[in-house]
């Protein structure tokens, strides 16, 4: 079946630094990748949608300069949280889709900004 | 913007009881998916329903898609502690998936 690998699973960084999260589709080419943010005991909130080779489409209220998304290939998308602050601490999840594979989710990244 | 109302948001029941989780919307979806998520993990797909009126069974879980493809339900029979988790419904539309707020289910032994 389709597998999406997300790394790192946990990261702690200092306030003001940037953190990159990777999302890879291992056995299929992902036409579209999605990035979600999830607060404790809450549902997934879509942050942005990215298509390979084009700029990401951000949801309303999501700062594109703060959450940089790069989808340079059909198997890799990255989310960079720039100048991270404690309020950016959250659980970030990626998802990839391709034709009949539907949507496959990564295992998530727990970001803690101290 | 398509919205999905999921209820209940929290449910704690005893092992062996039955329960139903509902997912309702005013919008029509091309498909509706149910996921289960454990703490610290990504959502795992349980089932996708596509056809209005469709019923799918996965062991003790029964999923139903409304005739108008706007609502769905998840029924668990004889719940077990291993069923504990966050259950999410998600409707597929032109812009991708829209998630419900989730149902936190706790099955007490």
């Amino acid at each position: 079946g389709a597998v999406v690998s997300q790394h790192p699973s946990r990261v702690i960084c200092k306030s003001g630094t940037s953190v990159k999260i990777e999302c890879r589709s291992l056995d299929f080419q992902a036409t579209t990748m999605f990035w979600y943010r999830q607060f404790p005991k809450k549902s997934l909130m879509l942050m942005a949608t990215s298509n390979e080779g084009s700029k990401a489409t951000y949801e309303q209220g999501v700062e594109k300069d703060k959450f940089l998304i790069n989808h340079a290939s059909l198997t890799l998308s990255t989310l960079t949280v720039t100048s991270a602050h404690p309020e950016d601490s959250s659980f970030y999840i990626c998802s990839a889709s391709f034709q009949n594979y539907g949507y496959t989710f990564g295992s998530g990244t727990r970001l803690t900004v101290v | 913007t398509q919205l999905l109302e999921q209820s209940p948001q929290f449910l704690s029941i005893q092992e062996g009881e039955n329960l139903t989780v509902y997912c309702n919307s005013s919008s029509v979806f091309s498909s509706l998916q149910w996921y289960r998520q454990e703490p610290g993990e990504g959502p795992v797909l349980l089932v996708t329903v596509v056809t209005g009126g469709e019923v799918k069974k996965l062991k003790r879980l029964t999923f139903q898609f409304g005739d108008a493809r706007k609502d769905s339900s998840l029924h668990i029979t004889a719940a077990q502690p291993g069923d504990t988790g966050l259950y999410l419904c998600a409707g597929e539309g032109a812009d991708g998936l829209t998630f419900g707020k989730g149902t936190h289910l706790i099955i007490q032994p």
Side-chain angles (χ1 to χ4, degrees):
Chain A
V3 177
V4 170
S5 175
Q6 186 173 342
H7 291 282
S9 58
R10 293 176 180 272
V11 59
I12 300 173
C13 70
K14 290 186 177 181
S15 187
T17 62
S18 295
V19 174
K20 181 184 285 187
I21 302 170
E22 290 190 350
C23 182
R24 293 180 184 273
S25 56
L26 297 185
D27 47 6
F28 68 103
Q29 293 180 324
T31 315
T32 307
M33 286 190 172
F34 305 86
W35 287 96
Y36 296 85
R37 184 173 180 176
Q38 187 176 30
F39 292 102
K41 298 192 183 299
K42 298 294 184 183
S43 186
L44 278 68
M45 181 183 74
L46 181 65
M47 298 175 65
T49 301
S50 72
N51 293 294
E52 185 264 341
S54 61
K55 290 185 178 180
T57 302
Y58 289 81
E59 294 298 300
Q60 192 172 7
V62 178
E63 299 176 60
K64 61 180 180 181
D65 293 330
K66 177 152 191 73
F67 299 100
L68 299 178
I69 292 172
N70 184 283
H71 193 164
S73 77
L74 283 171
T75 60
L76 174 64
S77 177
T78 61
L79 166 66
T80 301
V81 183
T82 63
S83 187
H85 291 283
E87 57 265 31
D88 298 325
S89 298
S90 192
F91 193 56
Y92 293 88
I93 306 173
C94 70
S95 168
S97 73
F98 176 67
Q99 296 184 352
N100 294 331
Y101 283 105
Y103 299 88
T104 303
F105 287 82
S107 55
T109 298
R110 171 74 59 195
L111 170 63
T112 303
V113 185
V114 297
Chain B
T1 302
Q2 296 178 307
L3 296 175
L4 271 174
E5 296 292 334
Q6 189 172 342
S7 63
Q9 290 193 35
F10 296 95
L11 184 60
S12 179
I13 61 174
Q14 294 295 125
E15 180 177 2
E17 294 185 19
N18 303 330
L19 67 110
T20 303
V21 178
Y22 299 94
C23 191
N24 297 294
S25 175
S26 58
S27 304
V28 175
F29 294 101
S30 57
S31 72
L32 200 138
Q33 300 170 20
W34 285 92
Y35 293 84
R36 179 167 172 266
Q37 185 182 22
E38 303 249 14
E41 299 288 334
V44 175
L45 179 66
L46 295 174
V47 78
T48 300
V49 284
V50 178
T51 306
E54 183 176 6
V55 177
K56 281 191 174 180
K57 290 193 174 185
L58 187 65
K59 296 184 180 178
R60 294 176 293 100
L61 278 60
T62 302
F63 304 86
Q64 189 162 2
F65 202 14
D67 291 338
R69 291 189 291 142
K70 293 182 180 180
D71 54 85
S72 181
S73 65
L74 158 61
H75 183 78
I76 300 179
T77 304
Q80 298 177 2
D83 296 328
T84 294
L86 173 65
Y87 289 81
L88 297 157
C89 65
E92 181 174 12
D95 297 329
L97 291 179
T98 299
F99 279 89
K101 291 188 174 181
T103 296
H104 288 272
L105 177 63
I106 298 174
I107 310 300
Q108 300 180 24

